[in-house]
């Protein structure tokens, strides 16, 4: 029996050698084909219902806004429920909406507001689907293959960007838009059948499910306390806010070209998808050559150039290579930042973290589509694209200067080395206060304070603590008390399951300051409240 070489295991297609990844990747491809078929049909239908740029751009807003509004609750559910069943449900939801869309079109009662409502409903399915699939991928491949797996997901997205519009365009021209949504429903059901064959064992948490509100709070808190994640979210929001100008107005750009029509629109989308797919072969080499910020800035620059070309040309032979470059830039930026955020998330909060990432993408896209649509209404489509190109590269350069990548990754390997406390009668209600008393050499007090305020605080809050304080004894300069408040006794116990290798290293650094003969004294108290 032969074993793959290290080069083979790190090749761009290595994850596809794993049967489960291959099966679910096929499902993801089918789901993305459905998404692009739906978006193309809806965008083209809106241009037949009205010619106002704002209404056309709002199709993109309606499609992406649900991810911004519902992404975090979806991520919280995906971190707590059986991910297989949840993924299956999302496909059945999309199939139901596609069926409803086709019925409305067959009955000839479609209007611009109704179309936006139904596109929004379809977007709810996307809002539920993306976080759970993003959380599933790291389960399927080793960490070394994660960048390749995420790049292959980008290939799936962009292959569908070619397949979906081509199929949709052919169906619209030959049979009508309603049949696009009929096929969408059929493919979504097919994807659901494939998911049902996945043999995944769901292991419930012995502490039970987190309450939805608490799970959402912890997800937001984790991201808020991470410099790395905040930097990724800011960059992806800026990129999609500006790049969506081209996508939101592409139907109008296609109509304005020489002999422009549905075929032109389809060719432009397919060119962008082809560029994205072709670029995945070069992503490993680019990641080795450039640091994250340098690669993201170069991708944003190429995307801005593509928009600038699309703003001034009316010739398809010029527009096609511009869209090809735009697609290559899109996946370069998206994959680089997606890998960065995946590497910065432990599994217990992965779906919530990825849902916030998707919220940043879709929030930026939804806001960008509405704003650039209004700018195009006030000025013109070419002027709008030119403004978006210049402001996009300027904003990304500014963020790289203001919030540079630290270049450090925490070791997020789970470590169950701290024994959870056990008491005869665990409290059913009330906040729990934990106090840890340290004895420190007064000469090193400032160094210890800096470590606690800048690292221990962030670590405790990332794990879900409600609040954190550091007390310094006025009478004893070497006595510090770390105070952590948890929402409940169960939530206090959850923090012991969230410890990583980086947390163990931090614990050792704190203990290195402790000079007492005994370890730091830990006390736990139930915070009584008035009735």
């Amino acid at each position: 029996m032969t074993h793959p070489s290290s080069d083979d295991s790190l090749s761009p297609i290595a994850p596809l050698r794993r049967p489960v990844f291959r099966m679910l990747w096929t499902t993801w491809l089918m789901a993305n084909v459905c998404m692009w078929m739906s978006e193309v049909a809806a965008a083209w239908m809106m241009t037949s219902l009205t010619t106002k740029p704002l209404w056309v751009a709002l199709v993109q807003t309606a499609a992406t806004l649900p991810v911004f509004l519902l992404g975090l609750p979806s991520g919280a559910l995906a971190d707590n429920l059986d991910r297989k069943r949840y993924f299956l449900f999302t496909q059945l939801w999309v199939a139901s909406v596609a069926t409803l869309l086709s019925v409305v079109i067959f009955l000839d009662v479609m209007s611009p507001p109704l179309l936006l409502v139904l596109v929004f409903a379809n977007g709810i399915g996307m809002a539920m689907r993306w976080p759970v699939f993003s959380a599933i991928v790291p389960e399927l491949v080793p960490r070394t293959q994660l960048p390749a797996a995420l790049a292959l997901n980008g290939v799936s997205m962009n292959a569908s960007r070619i397949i979906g519009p081509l199929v949709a365009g052919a169906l619209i021209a030959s049979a009508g838009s309603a049949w696009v949504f009929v096929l969408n429903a059929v493919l979504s059901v097919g994807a659901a059948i494939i998911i049902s064959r996945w043999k995944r064992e769901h292991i419930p948490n012995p502490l039970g499910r987190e309450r939805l509100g608490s799970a959402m709070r912890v997800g937001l808190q984790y991201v808020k306390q991470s410099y790395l994640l905040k930097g990724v979210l800011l960059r992806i929001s800026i990129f999609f806010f500006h790049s969506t100008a081209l996508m939101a107005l592409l139907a109008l750009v296609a109509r304005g070209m020489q002999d422009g029509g549905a075929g032109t629109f389809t060719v432009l989308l397919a060119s962008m998808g082809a560029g994205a797919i072709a670029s995945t072969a070069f992503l490993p080499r680019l990641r080795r050559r450039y640091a994250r910020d340098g690669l993201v800035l170069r991708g944003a620059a190429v995307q801005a150039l593509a928009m600038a070309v699309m703003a001034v040309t009316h010739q398809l032979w010029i527009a096609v290579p511009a869209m090809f470059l735009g697609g290559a830039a899109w996946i370069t930026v998206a994959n680089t930042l997606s890998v960065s955020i995946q590497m910065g998330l432990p599994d217990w909060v992965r779906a919530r973290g990825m849902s916030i990432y998707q919220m940043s993408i879709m929030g930026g896209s939804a806001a960008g589509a509405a704003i650039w649509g209004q700018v195009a209404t006030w000025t013109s489509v070419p002027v709008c694209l030119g403004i978006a190109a210049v402001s996009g590269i300027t904003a990304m350069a500014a963020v790289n200067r203001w919030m540079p990548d630290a270049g450090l990754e925490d070791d997020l390997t789970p470590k169950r080395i701290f024994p959870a406390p056990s008491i005869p009668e665990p409290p059913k209600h009330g906040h729990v206060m934990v106090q840890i008393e340290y004895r420190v050499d007064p000469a090193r007090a400032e160094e210890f304070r800096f470590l606690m305020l800048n690292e221990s605080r962030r670590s405790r809050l990332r794990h879900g603590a409600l609040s954190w304080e550091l007390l310094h004894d006025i009478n004893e300069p070497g006595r510090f008390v770390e105070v952590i408040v948890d929402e409940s006794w169960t939530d206090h116990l959850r923090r012991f399951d969230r410890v990583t290798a980086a947390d163990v290293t931090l614990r050792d650094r704190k203990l290195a300051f402790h000079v007492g003969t005994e370890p730091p004294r830990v006390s736990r108290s139930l915070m009584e409240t008035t009735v």
Side-chain angles (χ1 to χ4, degrees):
M1 179 177 176
T2 61
H3 297 277
S5 68
S6 59
D7 288 343
D8 288 341
S9 66
L10 296 177
S11 74
I13 62 169
L16 289 175
R17 299 190 182 103
R18 298 176 176 271
V20 177
F21 178 84
R22 189 166 60 244
M23 178 182 72
L24 292 180
W25 184 84
T26 303
T27 303
W28 190 238
L29 175 63
M30 293 173 67
N32 287 327
V33 167
C34 292
M35 180 187 72
W36 281 107
M37 286 170 52
S38 178
E39 288 201 9
V40 168
W44 196 254
M45 175 169 288
M46 186 63 83
T47 63
S48 66
L49 295 172
T50 178
T51 57
K52 293 182 179 178
L54 181 58
W55 278 102
V56 176
L58 282 176
V59 173
Q60 182 81 1
T61 299
T64 55
L65 188 59
V67 179
F68 179 74
L69 297 177
L70 304 175
L72 185 55
S74 177
L77 290 171
D79 273 330
N80 282 280
L81 301 178
D82 183 334
R83 287 175 179 172
K84 172 187 171 180
R85 292 185 178 182
Y86 191 57
F87 194 18
L88 180 63
F89 173 77
T90 66
Q91 289 306 114
L92 296 177
W93 174 281
V94 171
S96 300
V97 175
T99 301
L100 182 58
L101 266 162
S102 61
V103 168
V104 170
I105 297 171
F106 279 131
L107 295 176
D108 197 23
V109 292
M110 186 62 78
S111 65
L114 180 57
L115 178 59
L116 291 181
V117 169
L118 293 174
V119 169
F120 184 90
N122 188 67
I124 292 174
M126 289 171 52
M128 294 187 291
R129 183 177 69 205
W130 279 14
V132 67
F133 186 77
S134 297
I136 285 170
V137 172
E139 295 181 19
L140 309 177
V141 297
R143 187 178 178 86
T144 54
Q145 292 184 3
L146 185 57
L150 296 176
L152 286 169
N153 289 347
V155 169
S156 169
M157 173 68 74
N158 289 284
S160 65
R161 193 192 294 266
I162 298 173
I163 299 168
L166 286 174
V167 173
L171 280 175
I172 291 171
S174 61
S177 298
W179 291 100
V180 175
F181 297 109
V182 171
L183 181 58
N184 191 332
V186 172
L187 289 177
S188 296
V189 171
I193 293 172
I194 294 176
I195 295 169
S196 68
R197 296 176 57 196
W198 177 25
K199 292 179 174 58
R200 179 184 187 269
E201 182 182 0
H202 175 64
I203 303 175
N205 191 313
L207 297 173
R209 296 174 183 169
E210 288 183 80
R211 292 185 301 106
L212 183 60
S214 178
M216 292 167 60
R217 173 187 65 80
V218 172
L220 285 171
Q221 208 162 280
Y222 192 96
V223 171
K224 183 181 178 182
Q225 298 302 323
S226 172
Y227 178 87
L228 168 68
L229 301 186
K230 287 189 292 186
V232 171
L233 296 179
L234 182 58
R235 286 168 174 79
I236 202 69
S237 299
I238 287 173
F239 180 76
F240 274 87
F241 175 83
H242 292 90
S243 63
T244 200
L246 180 57
M247 293 304 301
L249 299 169
L250 191 60
L252 295 176
V253 172
R255 280 191 181 275
M257 288 194 168
Q258 187 175 2
D259 300 323
T264 304
F265 184 44
T266 301
V267 168
L268 293 178
L269 280 174
S271 300
M272 188 173 186
I277 293 173
S279 69
T280 58
F282 302 99
L283 279 175
R285 188 184 309 167
L286 291 173
R287 278 194 295 268
R288 288 192 297 268
R289 182 172 181 180
Y290 299 108
R292 187 198 73 181
D293 285 0
L295 189 53
V296 168
L297 184 61
R298 285 170 173 81
V302 173
Q303 172 67 30
L305 176 63
M307 281 199 291
V309 171
M310 295 301 295
V312 298
T313 187
H314 295 285
Q315 302 297 323
L316 187 61
W317 68 271
I318 296 176
V320 165
M323 292 297 292
F324 184 92
L325 287 176
W330 181 89
I331 200 170
T332 297
V333 174
N335 178 259
T336 301
L337 294 176
S338 181
V339 169
S340 185
I341 200 167
Q342 284 276 21
M343 294 296 190
L345 288 167
D347 189 63
W348 66 267
V349 75
R350 190 177 302 279
R352 278 166 281 185
M354 292 308 297
S355 72
I356 295 171
Y357 176 73
Q358 298 296 347
M359 287 168 62
S360 299
I361 291 177
M362 294 306 173
S365 298
I371 290 173
W372 296 120
Q374 189 60 61
V375 171
T377 301
W378 289 335
T379 57
S380 66
V381 171
V383 170
C384 173
L385 293 179
I387 294 172
V390 173
S391 61
I393 186 60
T394 303
M396 192 64 75
V399 127
N400 275 4
R401 183 178 180 83
W402 172 58
M403 199 175 185
D405 179 20
L408 300 174
E409 288 185 7
D410 290 335
D411 185 351
L412 300 179
T413 306
K415 294 288 183 181
R416 306 283 197 281
I417 67 169
F418 301 145
S422 178
I423 56 177
E425 269 191 62
K428 295 182 180 179
H429 305 286
H431 297 170
V432 174
M433 177 184 289
V434 182
Q435 294 178 293
I436 307 173
E437 182 179 324
Y438 298 89
R439 297 285 178 170
V440 177
D441 182 350
R444 303 186 67 193
E446 280 300 321
E447 190 181 350
F448 179 74
R449 181 188 292 111
F450 182 85
L451 176 66
M452 298 297 288
L453 293 175
N454 288 277
E455 296 191 44
S456 189
R457 174 182 178 274
R458 286 202 297 266
S459 175
R460 305 293 192 188
L461 293 175
R462 280 201 301 266
H463 288 174
L466 274 179
S467 65
W468 182 95
E469 301 289 343
L470 182 67
L471 307 182
H472 191 187
D473 196 318
I474 295 174
N475 296 315
E476 297 183 54
R479 179 175 176 267
F480 288 86
V481 180
E482 185 179 18
V483 182
I484 309 144
V485 177
D486 290 311
E487 190 170 359
S488 66
W489 180 254
T490 301
D491 286 300
H492 174 60
L493 296 180
R494 289 188 198 280
R495 288 204 288 112
F496 289 85
D497 292 335
R498 296 168 179 173
V499 174
T500 65
D503 298 313
V504 175
T505 300
L506 176 59
R507 188 277 309 264
D508 293 341
R509 291 171 62 197
K510 291 188 290 187
L511 289 180
F513 285 92
H514 185 68
V515 296
T517 56
E518 298 292 331
R521 182 173 174 269
V522 180
S523 63
R524 296 175 175 87
S525 308
L526 182 65
M527 299 177 68
E528 301 286 2
T529 58
T530 56
V531 180

